[in-house]
Amino acid sequence: MIKNLFFGLAFCCIIASCGTKTSDPTLRDFNFLPVKGIRYEEVKRRFSDGLSFNRDGFMQEPSWIVEIVAEDSILAYSPQKKIMQGFHLHYDHGNVYNFAEEWFKVKHISKDSLVLQRVQVDAKVIAKDIRSDVNMTFYAQNYIKNTLKKEASTLQKPTKADTIFIRKRSEEVNKNPDSAYAGRIPVQFMPTTKFASVEKISTVNKLIQRTAAYDYMFPQYKIVINKAYKDFAHQFSLVVDPNGNGKVKNVYGVMPEDVDSKRKVIQALCDYYLKNRFKIIPGETLGIPHNSEITLTLVGKTF
């Protein structure tokens, strides 16, 4: 009985990341010390289907640079500070590590390359959805320069398969004026008169894990029309087609029974003011324009 209790306690310690496998790196599946001091640059970040994009337009963009300092320490490049910043490399369990406030599952380590699966951990459980369906491939900088004889920026470019996928998705959504997916380069409004202005609103919020991707996945704008025929303010979603034409889709802040009539009013405002006071450049991905949806606050002022 005592023997069974002992093994039960030992098992609990392993699960809680406090057992032998946590404290002794030689007992783990991967050991970082043999690659200590090697600087790796991320060359591709793909979903399990091998593509850089999903159907909603979200792009996995390779951007990390890392270097192992010790078994429990790592350097990672900070684009904001433009320096290699030190982080604790915390081992959890099952080849899962945490650093820079992110969780990763180690899939491969060698002197030439490193493959990490970026995973989403919710309440200490790895989410089994698209958030954990991301593989990051790193090559050692020496390997890129001396063996591949290429620039990392060349290796980071989207592939031919990505282009084929985006072209197919564009054909699909462009057939339906209510259908859309996010443009990697969002819609652009270029005022053609001093009586109109536009502001692109950023919704990035690190505290709630809202990354920079939100700004192109869910673009928001505020447009102000001066010298309007009357004062008005409306918030709505707009699908902008490859020709720069906009169709009002959803209207916010009105009673359900008023949605249809309000949509007609807003559509008329868009057809007049947006077309006459802006050059509208549609959203695009890999140089391919396509239907994309934006949220727009349209304000009219008589003065």
Side-chain angles (χ1 to χ4, degrees), residues 71-206:
E71 192 63 43
D72 62 353
S73 301
I74 189 170
L75 295 175
Y77 181 72
S78 169
Q80 292 78 23
K81 298 181 179 179
K82 299 188 183 303
I83 60 172
M84 295 294 288
Q85 191 170 354
F87 295 95
H88 175 62
L89 184 60
H90 170 70
Y91 174 76
D92 193 80
H93 72 286
N95 302 327
V96 176
Y97 290 79
N98 179 279
F99 69 90
E101 301 180 350
E102 299 282 356
W103 290 93
F104 303 90
K105 185 173 184 179
V106 178
K107 302 182 74 172
H108 169 79
I109 295 176
S110 72
K111 292 183 181 296
D112 291 335
S113 62
L114 173 67
V115 179
L116 304 177
Q117 178 186 355
R118 195 171 186 175
V119 297
Q120 176 68 31
V121 177
D122 297 325
K124 298 184 179 181
V125 177
I126 296 177
K128 295 181 179 180
D129 56 29
I130 194 171
R131 295 174 297 169
S132 296
D133 182 29
V134 180
N135 292 312
M136 306 168 66
T137 300
F138 298 77
Y139 287 160
Q141 289 182 337
N142 286 338
Y143 177 71
I144 296 173
K145 179 180 179 181
N146 300 322
T147 302
L148 298 179
K149 300 184 185 303
K150 293 184 177 181
E151 298 289 333
S153 57
T154 300
L155 300 172
Q156 293 168 347
K157 292 180 179 179
T159 65
K160 182 178 180 181
D162 288 325
T163 301
I164 293 173
F165 172 75
I166 292 300
R167 185 172 290 114
K168 182 179 179 181
R169 281 292 292 141
S170 297
E171 291 173 354
E172 290 174 351
V173 300
N174 291 346
K175 292 177 181 177
N176 184 348
D178 290 319
S179 182
Y181 72 93
R184 189 59 184 83
I185 299 178
V187 175
Q188 299 175 68
F189 293 92
M190 314 293 289
T192 57
T193 170
K194 64 181 180 179
F195 298 117
S197 63
V198 59
E199 175 189 1
K200 191 172 187 305
I201 301 171
S202 176
T203 59
V204 174
N205 189 330
K206 187 177 181 180

Side-chain angles (χ1 to χ4, degrees), residues 215-232:
D215 281 353
Y216 75 82
M217 287 295 296
F218 310 103
Q220 296 188 30
Y221 305 81
K222 179 180 179 180
I223 285 179
V224 177
I225 304 295
N226 293 312
K227 302 291 183 180
Y229 82 102
K230 64 178 292 186
D231 291 335
F232 57 80

Side-chain angles (χ1 to χ4, degrees), residues 7-71:
F7 282 112
L9 291 173
F11 178 77
C12 290
C13 286
I14 291 173
I15 295 299
S17 301
C18 59
T20 303
K21 204 168 186 180
T22 300
S23 57
D24 187 353
T26 63
L27 297 180
R28 302 179 195 169
D29 292 338
F30 295 100
N31 187 352
F32 285 108
L33 289 181
V35 298
K36 177 182 176 181
I38 297 177
R39 185 160 293 188
Y40 297 90
E41 194 155 353
E42 189 183 6
V43 295
K44 59 183 176 181
R45 191 181 304 185
R46 308 275 168 77
F47 293 105
S48 60
D49 60 7
L51 296 172
S52 305
F53 296 85
N54 70 4
R55 290 183 59 82
D56 297 322
F58 177 60
M59 178 187 183
Q60 294 292 343
E61 188 171 4
S63 60
W64 287 57
I65 300 175
V66 298
E67 179 182 331
I68 304 299
V69 177
E71 192 63 43

